[in-house]
Amino acid sequence: MRRREETIHLYHTNDIHSHFDSWPKISRYLQTQRGLNDSAEEACFIFDIGDHVDRSHPFTEGTSGKGNVALLNRAGYDAVTIGNNEGITMSKKALNSLYEGADFDVILCNLTETDGSLPQWLNPYVIYETASGIRVGVIGATAMYTAFYAKLGWLIEEPRQELKKVAEQIRHKTDMIICLSHLGVNEDRLLAEECKQIDVILGAHTHHLFPEGEMVNDTLLAATGKFGEYVGHVEIHVDCDMKIVDKSAEVIRVAELESREEDVQEVNELIHTGNETLEENVFYTASPLKQQLFVDSPISSFFGRALVEYTGADCAMFNAGIFLGSLDKGWVTKRMVHALLPHPINPCTVTLDGAELLEVYRLSKNESWPETEIKGLGFRGTFMGKMIFERLFRTDAGELYAGNRKVIAGKTYTLATLDMFTFGYFFPSLKTAEKEYHMPELIRDVFIWYGMKRDNRIDPDTRNARYKRE
């Protein structure tokens, strides 16, 4: 009996970033679509393309991302790849255990142990087979943050080259190849040009949206923007000889999906669960730590001292906009610090020539910066705020000092700052300068470490065991 033509459905999400407000609707939609496709005897696969986890949300932080995995399980995902939020905002130990309870595959071909061996939780590819025998090969890769992954004890390879190798390796074993790409739109377009074996690229990372997909040669690119605003749907039509005859993409606007009364309760329960887990005293502050966006404040002074002492740098620089609130006198909990500093941002020590440090200081005085809105770079606030300095100051004579040393061209100085300032957007020289990222500690870990260090109620051995300086 001759095979009939067949339709394969791909549903995909990307860059949810723990924005759970719409998650109940997304989950319900995916489960409903799978049921409809099953009833029509049409194959269905559900994928997430990374950055589902974002430690800025208390549920994700409180469950170390395992709560996100449970949500993906419940929605019926078949496979995911990781984004940089899973890959470099979590310790190696946390990432190694993140997917222990997953009912889906983790597909990723460009991340290994430093000796080149594969972690147990990932597969470089998976080949699924539909009920009628169509072989669907799925490959995946994530963006190459070399220095960050190396600091955490991982080896990250150039993704396009690795994807092309895997696609070539499996092309004779499959009838189609789907790529889960957390690389960004430009990389996806290059990949489509360079690798003819890939039929569909489901994209992420740059938060791009393709309402009807984009064709590059014979490869269909699809992507759903960010924060769960859309769910993607790709239809692939296969003829009697298992050849693709048509493929198309669309996005479904989640705001237009059915809402139910219990959705709000479900989202609130996630927040409550996270906050409850984080409700643990970490240190006591004898005086209030108030926030100010456009001037120095008690909380910025506290953090400035913390950053210098933790890193051992000559001086420190950061923006007041990182503080999303104040702390009252009394016990400080993990929940309070997480709400104060939700950003997945690491401290970084940069080594600079005196001339470079003078230039950084000059640029930091840009009068428009304090009211500049910042998006991305790990920042989860709104405005830049005043640039704050610790042990970096000008004398009345106009000379710049880093600690007790005058800043002079030809001499070397160390500056503690936030990793987001080392990507070149605000300070070009910091992108190429010698630097050390302090990982896996986030800036809130440094804040807690310093608070515990100053609090004589905390036993030093306990403090060092919990927030060890690497």
Side-chain angles (χ1 to χ4, degrees), residues 247-269:
K247 50 195 173 187
S248 61
E250 64 174 343
V251 294
I252 294 85
R253 188 175 178 83
V254 174
E256 296 174 359
L257 296 176
E258 174 199 8
S259 295
R260 296 182 183 175
E261 289 184 9
E262 61 264 28
D263 292 351
V264 174
Q265 181 181 348
E266 183 178 336
V267 172
N268 288 339
E269 284 176 357

Short mmCIF file of all heavy atoms in Angstrom, two decimals, residues 247-269:
data_model
loop_
_atom_site.label_atom_id
_atom_site.label_comp_id
_atom_site.label_asym_id
_atom_site.label_seq_id
_atom_site.Cartn_x
_atom_site.Cartn_y
_atom_site.Cartn_z
N LYS A 247 6.99 23.90 3.33
CA LYS A 247 7.15 24.20 4.76
C LYS A 247 6.81 25.66 4.97
O LYS A 247 7.10 26.51 4.12
CB LYS A 247 8.56 23.87 5.25
CG LYS A 247 9.69 24.45 4.41
CD LYS A 247 11.02 23.79 4.75
CE LYS A 247 12.10 24.25 3.77
NZ LYS A 247 13.37 23.53 3.93
N SER A 248 6.18 25.94 6.09
CA SER A 248 5.73 27.30 6.36
C SER A 248 5.80 27.56 7.87
O SER A 248 5.79 26.61 8.68
CB SER A 248 4.30 27.51 5.87
OG SER A 248 3.42 26.62 6.53
N ALA A 249 5.86 28.84 8.22
CA ALA A 249 5.95 29.23 9.64
C ALA A 249 4.93 30.30 9.96
O ALA A 249 4.59 31.13 9.12
CB ALA A 249 7.36 29.73 9.96
N GLU A 250 4.46 30.27 11.19
CA GLU A 250 3.57 31.30 11.71
C GLU A 250 3.85 31.47 13.20
O GLU A 250 4.52 30.62 13.82
CB GLU A 250 2.10 30.92 11.50
CG GLU A 250 1.69 29.67 12.27
CD GLU A 250 0.21 29.37 12.20
OE1 GLU A 250 -0.56 30.28 11.82
OE2 GLU A 250 -0.18 28.22 12.53
N VAL A 251 3.37 32.55 13.76
CA VAL A 251 3.45 32.73 15.21
C VAL A 251 2.04 32.96 15.75
O VAL A 251 1.19 33.55 15.07
CB VAL A 251 4.38 33.88 15.62
CG1 VAL A 251 5.82 33.57 15.24
CG2 VAL A 251 3.94 35.21 15.01
N ILE A 252 1.82 32.49 16.96
CA ILE A 252 0.54 32.65 17.63
C ILE A 252 0.73 33.65 18.76
O ILE A 252 1.59 33.44 19.63
CB ILE A 252 0.03 31.30 18.17
CG1 ILE A 252 -0.30 30.35 17.02
CG2 ILE A 252 -1.20 31.50 19.06
CD1 ILE A 252 0.88 29.58 16.50
N ARG A 253 -0.03 34.72 18.74
CA ARG A 253 0.08 35.75 19.78
C ARG A 253 -0.57 35.23 21.06
O ARG A 253 -1.78 34.97 21.09
CB ARG A 253 -0.58 37.04 19.32
CG ARG A 253 -0.36 38.21 20.27
CD ARG A 253 -0.94 39.51 19.68
NE ARG A 253 -0.78 40.62 20.60
CZ ARG A 253 0.32 41.35 20.72
NH1 ARG A 253 1.37 41.08 19.95
NH2 ARG A 253 0.41 42.34 21.57
N VAL A 254 0.22 35.09 22.10
CA VAL A 254 -0.26 34.46 23.33
C VAL A 254 -1.33 35.30 24.01
O VAL A 254 -2.26 34.77 24.62
CB VAL A 254 0.93 34.18 24.28
CG1 VAL A 254 0.44 33.66 25.63
CG2 VAL A 254 1.89 33.18 23.63
N ALA A 255 -1.25 36.62 23.88
CA ALA A 255 -2.26 37.50 24.49
C ALA A 255 -3.66 37.21 23.96
O ALA A 255 -4.65 37.53 24.63
CB ALA A 255 -1.89 38.96 24.26
N GLU A 256 -3.73 36.63 22.77
CA GLU A 256 -5.03 36.36 22.16
C GLU A 256 -5.55 34.95 22.48
O GLU A 256 -6.67 34.61 22.09
CB GLU A 256 -4.94 36.55 20.65
CG GLU A 256 -4.62 37.99 20.26
CD GLU A 256 -4.40 38.17 18.76
OE1 GLU A 256 -4.47 37.14 18.04
OE2 GLU A 256 -4.13 39.31 18.34
N LEU A 257 -4.77 34.17 23.19
CA LEU A 257 -5.22 32.84 23.59
C LEU A 257 -6.19 32.93 24.77
O LEU A 257 -6.22 33.94 25.50
CB LEU A 257 -4.03 31.95 23.97
CG LEU A 257 -3.04 31.62 22.86
CD1 LEU A 257 -1.87 30.82 23.42
CD2 LEU A 257 -3.70 30.86 21.72
N GLU A 258 -6.94 31.89 24.98
CA GLU A 258 -7.93 31.86 26.07
C GLU A 258 -7.26 32.05 27.42
O GLU A 258 -6.23 31.45 27.73
CB GLU A 258 -8.64 30.50 26.06
CG GLU A 258 -9.59 30.30 27.22
CD GLU A 258 -9.94 28.84 27.47
OE1 GLU A 258 -9.32 27.96 26.82
OE2 GLU A 258 -10.82 28.57 28.31
N SER A 259 -7.84 32.92 28.24
CA SER A 259 -7.40 33.11 29.62
C SER A 259 -8.40 32.44 30.56
O SER A 259 -9.60 32.37 30.26
CB SER A 259 -7.32 34.59 29.97
OG SER A 259 -6.33 35.23 29.20
N ARG A 260 -7.89 31.94 31.67
CA ARG A 260 -8.75 31.33 32.68
C ARG A 260 -8.45 31.95 34.04
O ARG A 260 -7.35 32.45 34.29
CB ARG A 260 -8.54 29.82 32.74
CG ARG A 260 -8.95 29.10 31.45
CD ARG A 260 -8.76 27.60 31.57
NE ARG A 260 -9.09 26.92 30.31
CZ ARG A 260 -8.92 25.62 30.11
NH1 ARG A 260 -8.42 24.84 31.08
NH2 ARG A 260 -9.24 25.08 28.93
N GLU A 261 -9.44 31.89 34.92
CA GLU A 261 -9.28 32.50 36.24
C GLU A 261 -8.10 31.90 37.00
O GLU A 261 -7.39 32.60 37.72
CB GLU A 261 -10.57 32.32 37.05
CG GLU A 261 -11.73 33.17 36.56
CD GLU A 261 -12.95 33.03 37.45
OE1 GLU A 261 -12.82 32.42 38.53
OE2 GLU A 261 -14.02 33.53 37.06
N GLU A 262 -7.89 30.60 36.81
CA GLU A 262 -6.83 29.94 37.58
C GLU A 262 -5.43 30.31 37.10
O GLU A 262 -4.44 30.00 37.77
CB GLU A 262 -7.01 28.42 37.54
CG GLU A 262 -6.94 27.80 36.16
CD GLU A 262 -8.31 27.60 35.54
OE1 GLU A 262 -9.24 28.37 35.87
OE2 GLU A 262 -8.44 26.67 34.72
N ASP A 263 -5.31 30.97 35.94
CA ASP A 263 -3.99 31.32 35.41
C ASP A 263 -3.25 32.26 36.36
O ASP A 263 -2.06 32.09 36.63
CB ASP A 263 -4.11 31.96 34.03
CG ASP A 263 -4.59 30.99 32.97
OD1 ASP A 263 -4.66 29.78 33.26
OD2 ASP A 263 -4.90 31.44 31.85
N VAL A 264 -3.95 33.28 36.85
CA VAL A 264 -3.33 34.25 37.75
C VAL A 264 -2.86 33.56 39.03
O VAL A 264 -1.76 33.81 39.54
CB VAL A 264 -4.30 35.41 38.07
CG1 VAL A 264 -3.69 36.33 39.11
CG2 VAL A 264 -4.62 36.19 36.80
N GLN A 265 -3.71 32.68 39.54
CA GLN A 265 -3.35 31.95 40.77
C GLN A 265 -2.10 31.10 40.55
O GLN A 265 -1.23 31.03 41.41
CB GLN A 265 -4.52 31.08 41.21
CG GLN A 265 -4.24 30.30 42.50
CD GLN A 265 -5.41 29.43 42.91
OE1 GLN A 265 -6.52 29.55 42.38
NE2 GLN A 265 -5.18 28.54 43.88
N GLU A 266 -2.02 30.46 39.38
CA GLU A 266 -0.87 29.62 39.08
C GLU A 266 0.43 30.43 39.05
O GLU A 266 1.45 30.02 39.60
CB GLU A 266 -1.07 28.91 37.75
CG GLU A 266 0.05 27.96 37.38
CD GLU A 266 -0.19 27.22 36.07
OE1 GLU A 266 -1.36 27.07 35.69
OE2 GLU A 266 0.80 26.81 35.45
N VAL A 267 0.37 31.60 38.41
CA VAL A 267 1.56 32.47 38.34
C VAL A 267 1.93 32.96 39.73
O VAL A 267 3.12 32.99 40.09
CB VAL A 267 1.30 33.65 37.38
CG1 VAL A 267 2.45 34.65 37.44
CG2 VAL A 267 1.11 33.15 35.95
N ASN A 268 0.95 33.36 40.52
CA ASN A 268 1.22 33.82 41.88
C ASN A 268 1.82 32.72 42.74
O ASN A 268 2.67 32.98 43.61
CB ASN A 268 -0.05 34.36 42.52
CG ASN A 268 -0.48 35.70 41.93
OD1 ASN A 268 0.33 36.41 41.35
ND2 ASN A 268 -1.75 36.03 42.07
N GLU A 269 1.40 31.49 42.52
CA GLU A 269 1.94 30.37 43.28
C GLU A 269 3.42 30.14 42.96
O GLU A 269 4.21 29.78 43.84
CB GLU A 269 1.14 29.09 42.99
CG GLU A 269 -0.21 29.07 43.69
CD GLU A 269 -1.04 27.84 43.32
OE1 GLU A 269 -0.57 27.05 42.46
OE2 GLU A 269 -2.15 27.70 43.86
#
